Amino acid sequence: SDKVSHNRPPWLAVAVEMTTVELNPFPSRSVFLGVDVGTGSARAGLFDESGKLLGSSSSPIQIWKDGDCVEQSSTDIWHAVCAAVRAACSLANVSDVEVKGIGFAATCSLVAVDAEGSPVTVSWSGDSRRNIIVWMDHRAVKQAERINSFNSPVLQYCGGGVSPEMEPPKLLWVKENLQESWSMVYKWMDLSDWLSYRATGDDTRSLCTTVCKWTYLGHAHMQQQMTEKASRDMEACGWDDEFWEEIGLGDLVDGHHAKIGRSVAFPGHPLGNGLTATAAKASTKQPLTSLELGLLAGTPVGTSLIDAHAGGVGVMESKSDSDSLKKDSDVDTLCTRMVLVCGTSTCHMAVSREKLFIPGVWGPFWSAMVPEYWLTEGGQSATGALLDHIIENHVASPRLANQAASQKVSVFELLNNILKSMAQEDTSSPFVAALTSEMHILPDFHGNRSPVADPNSKGVVFGMTLDTSEKQLALLYLATVQGIAYGTRHIVEHCNAHGHKIDTLLACGGLSKNPLFIQEHADIVGCPIILPRESESVLLGAAILGAVAAKSYPSLHDAMKALNAAGQVVHSSSDPKVKKYHDAKYRIFRDLYEQQLSHRSIITQALS
């Protein structure tokens, strides 16, 4: 309509009438590009048709933190994406004609733009650059509590209640606190949807983002045939209008939900006519800071995924040798696995054919990761971030960092080596894990996402002394890793008690590259852990979206089978003493939370 074209952002102007172009008249290799925008950087990776990484690059992004408020800039992020893509293509020696498809993954942060596509501030500061409320932002705890008090039926699909990290509480916070911004916003988007919109001009949202973070009921589409027409651009029939009106956001229902998503698609379905001319290449008139992607206009772009879910897509079909022998059918294999995407936080993803309602665990989300499967999503809000916090705030940290730099190893590697030598020196410690026999950690420093779903839960460190040495920091680090792994065991046990049959873990993300982190998880959870052949699983998952959009594979699941590959398999210790030790520490771990609840109520009564 005229109104829509009048409100079209300037970078869309060239886009909409374009037809898909024939990309390459000469035979060449097929390369798929994955882009992942994490908390601290934008990364790009290029993969061949066997799922092998040809090259990757990353570019830092700005972040503003002020108490519970954490903000970013979509303009800054797009510049970082363009820089990373161009650098990756250059490093991998990949030309624009070889890139056959593109997929985007990002944190589930909330983006605000006006009718021109320009940023609208979501910040107390009024800084217009700051138009993204980052996923980890906890400003909307009160709004989340209020939303949950309505007990709307949609809440049973997110573990019984929304988290302050989901979008409805954040939207309500903006409406209540920044009225001017609220009235200016033309579109509210999850970051990964905004990236694909910025690349293609197509406002279709992903079933992944809308279902997992916006209370969209994806199973409203279950009856629709997964035909090309239906899946490409499905009218958004899964919004519960009563929910939005009840919580005070009825204005988002207006115009067929125009501000939050009129149409949705399965992850990997092709958007618009592919890359717009503007997003593809920087024009000579633009300043150099406006680097665009350096690719061909019309290159297919797939509907996006949240970064953790892209990690799931990048590893879930990785088969170890023993795996292919023991399992009869693909369906069974997929449904006995849990993927740990471990970065700043950890997401725990499992799929099932039936919908399983699990208190305190997000989901069941239909088709939010693998089409036609129900997704269960557990998580820990601070894991990599917690380890950094523990290490960086210790008095021995600067000495340790200097030692690591002079030995040309990471701080984690240095700590792992210190622990090994401590275990050798300490005759009373039969194995490394036993060094923490007197130290116990509850890792809820940023609340408990699951399975307790208590954003007010606090971290606990039990067993401190006046020791401030590097060795004491090594113990604190080990006890934190173990605390995180006990949290994973709690999530796995809770899911299995409610109908899952998880017996294998797959791990990807930055922390999965730490052998101590992985071995402790294997020993504590009691499952083998499959590591992917390619270390950049989130980028591979994003690239798979591009491969599906390019029609190189008939479906997302087929692309996963072709492009996922297993690397090392880490087994739990066969020593019964290790199991006995961790069972005892796990009991203490569970007690730490129960004690916290008891202490909380004692203080509440004292102050009432």
Side-chain angles (χ1 to χ4, degrees):
S1 76
D2 290 343
K3 180 165 186 284
V4 172
S5 60
H6 172 69
N7 284 324
R8 194 178 291 154
W11 40 265
L12 253 181
V14 207
V16 182
E17 288 78 21
M18 266 190 49
T19 51
T20 308
V21 292
E22 183 59 49
L23 294 184
N24 185 16
F26 307 106
S28 71
R29 61 184 171 167
S30 289
V31 176
F32 307 114
L33 167 64
V35 173
D36 167 39
V37 176
T39 309
S41 65
R43 302 179 312 133
L46 296 142
F47 296 84
D48 67 14
E49 287 173 291
S50 64
K52 192 170 183 326
L53 181 67
L54 303 173
S56 66
S57 181
S58 101
S59 187
I61 53 182
Q62 222 172 341
I63 190 162
W64 290 271
K65 291 184 180 176
D66 185 7
D68 282 334
C69 296
V70 189
E71 292 149 358
Q72 286 176 329
S73 153
S74 63
T75 309
D76 172 60
I77 284 173
W78 185 251
H79 290 162
V81 164
C82 294
V85 168
R86 286 171 169 260
C89 289
S90 166
L91 284 166
N93 203 15
V94 167
S95 67
D96 55 5
V97 291
E98 292 176 303
V99 177
K100 299 296 189 273
I102 306 165
F104 291 98
T107 62
C108 45
S109 301
L110 178 66
V111 185
V113 292
D114 68 14
E116 301 298 312
S118 302
V120 177
T121 186
V122 291
S123 174
W124 280 123
S125 69
D127 181 344
S128 63
R129 290 173 303 171
R130 291 151 73 164
N131 70 318
I132 298 179
I133 300 182
V134 179
W135 67 271
M136 61 166 63
D137 180 298
H138 273 205
R139 70 181 71 185
V141 170
K142 291 268 185 296
Q143 284 76 8
E145 286 168 0
R146 210 176 327 135
I147 289 168
N148 292 336
S149 71
F150 288 107
N151 290 318
S152 165
V154 298
L155 298 179
Q156 64 180 318
Y157 288 91
C158 43
V162 292
S163 148
E165 292 173 17
M166 292 178 179
E167 311 310 8
K170 290 174 174 166
L171 291 163
L172 189 55
W173 185 94
V174 175
K175 184 174 182 179
E176 290 175 351
N177 292 281
L178 300 172
Q179 282 88 356
E180 193 180 339
S181 291
W182 183 257
S183 60
M184 283 172 67
V185 174
Y186 185 67
K187 289 184 196 301
W188 290 103
M189 307 186 85
D190 235 75
L191 179 54
S192 59
D193 286 330
W194 179 83
L195 290 165
S196 56
Y197 170 62
R198 180 67 180 77
T200 65
D202 185 340
D203 181 27
T204 300
R205 313 297 175 99
S206 168
L207 270 177
C208 176
T209 55
T210 50
V211 170
C212 295
K213 303 299 166 189
W214 297 70
T215 72
Y216 187 82
L217 301 175
H219 49 282
H221 298 282
M222 265 178 105
Q223 305 315 315
Q224 289 187 353
Q225 289 303 303
M226 285 185 66
T227 60
E228 168 65 17
K229 188 169 181 300
S231 54
R232 174 162 178 159
D233 195 7
M234 301 184 295
E235 190 181 332
C237 61
W239 294 117
D240 180 331
D241 294 353
E242 270 182 42
F243 165 74
W244 293 101
E245 278 160 16
E246 186 175 62
I247 67 171
L249 293 174
D251 35 351
L252 295 180
V253 172
D254 297 348
H256 301 287
H257 316 94
K259 289 187 177 182
I260 56 172
R262 291 169 96 152
S263 59
V264 296
F266 292 91
H269 279 283
L271 290 167
N273 294 311
L275 271 190
T276 64
T278 311
K281 289 267 189 236
S283 82
T284 48
K285 293 175 190 162
Q286 286 175 318
L288 283 176
T289 51
S290 311
L291 277 183
E292 300 274 346
L293 297 164
L295 299 169
L296 290 184
T299 305
V301 176
T303 305
S304 304
L305 282 165
I306 297 165
D307 53 358
H309 303 62
V313 166
V315 299
M316 202 152 206
E317 277 290 356
S318 305
K319 296 284 194 326
S320 67
D321 297 338
S322 61
D323 230 16
S324 37
L325 295 174
K326 74 173 182 179
K327 296 282 165 65
D328 304 332
S329 81
D330 291 340
V331 173
D332 288 342
T333 305
L334 215 55
C335 295
T336 57
R337 305 179 142 211
M338 176 174 270
V339 178
L340 309 188
V341 187
C342 2
T344 307
S345 62
T346 296
C347 292
H348 302 67
M349 328 286 257
V351 296
S352 56
R353 281 295 194 184
E354 310 75 49
K355 61 176 166 184
L356 301 171
F357 292 99
I358 305 177
V361 179
W362 296 346
F365 299 137
W366 187 72
S367 289
M369 186 169 80
V370 185
E372 298 196 274
Y373 284 80
W374 293 89
L375 170 69
T376 295
E377 185 187 344
Q380 294 164 297
S381 293
T383 51
L386 176 58
L387 287 168
D388 290 346
H389 173 81
I390 292 287
I391 294 166
E392 287 163 13
N393 286 287
H394 194 282
V395 71
S397 182
R399 291 199 300 275
L400 201 73
N402 288 338
Q403 265 176 279
S406 66
Q407 292 176 32
K408 296 193 167 57
V409 296
S410 73
V411 168
F412 293 119
E413 206 175 326
L414 183 59
L415 286 165
N416 293 351
N417 292 337
I418 292 172
L419 288 166
K420 270 182 216 152
S421 57
M422 285 171 72
Q424 284 159 3
E425 290 161 17
D426 186 347
T427 48
S428 66
S429 180
F431 40 86
V432 170
L435 289 167
T436 57
S437 59
E438 295 183 338
M439 188 178 284
H440 311 287
I441 290 184
L442 183 71
D444 295 356
F445 284 55
H446 198 52
N448 181 292
R449 188 186 296 170
S450 44
V452 178
D454 179 358
N456 298 310
S457 182
K458 302 289 185 280
V460 177
V461 182
F462 178 98
M464 295 298 278
T465 68
L466 293 173
D467 186 357
T468 58
S469 65
E470 284 92 333
K471 285 183 176 179
Q472 197 274 339
L473 173 52
L475 290 181
L476 203 53
Y477 154 73
L478 174 58
T480 306
V481 168
Q482 290 168 340
I484 291 166
Y486 297 130
T488 292
R489 173 169 166 177
H490 193 188
I491 290 167
V492 172
E493 286 183 358
H494 188 70
C495 288
N496 282 348
H498 286 85
H500 277 286
K501 297 179 176 64
I502 297 155
D503 63 14
T504 305
L505 301 181
L506 297 103
C508 64
L511 290 178
S512 70
K513 296 166 192 171
N514 180 338
L516 178 95
F517 185 88
I518 293 300
Q519 189 63 59
E520 290 301 296
H521 273 74
D523 292 345
I524 285 166
V525 183
C527 292
I529 301 182
I530 301 174
L531 297 172
R533 181 192 68 194
E534 298 300 327
S535 61
E536 298 295 352
S537 305
V538 176
L539 288 175
L540 174 59
I544 285 172
L545 299 172
V548 177
K551 309 261 187 292
S552 298
Y553 300 93
S555 73
L556 185 79
H557 202 176
D558 289 307
M560 287 167 65
K561 288 177 190 172
L563 298 171
N564 289 185
Q568 186 192 358
V569 182
V570 177
H571 294 277
S572 48
S573 169
S574 54
D575 183 346
K577 288 184 186 146
V578 172
K579 182 182 181 326
K580 191 177 174 190
Y581 172 75
H582 284 306
D583 286 348
K585 276 198 66 131
Y586 179 62
R587 267 209 341 267
I588 295 167
F589 164 85
R590 295 287 298 269
D591 281 350
L592 289 175
Y593 180 71
E594 295 306 321
Q595 286 170 10
Q596 180 177 164
L597 288 183
S598 152
H599 298 164
R600 210 189 278 174
S601 85
I602 290 168
I603 294 297
T604 304
Q605 282 169 12
L607 291 173
S608 64

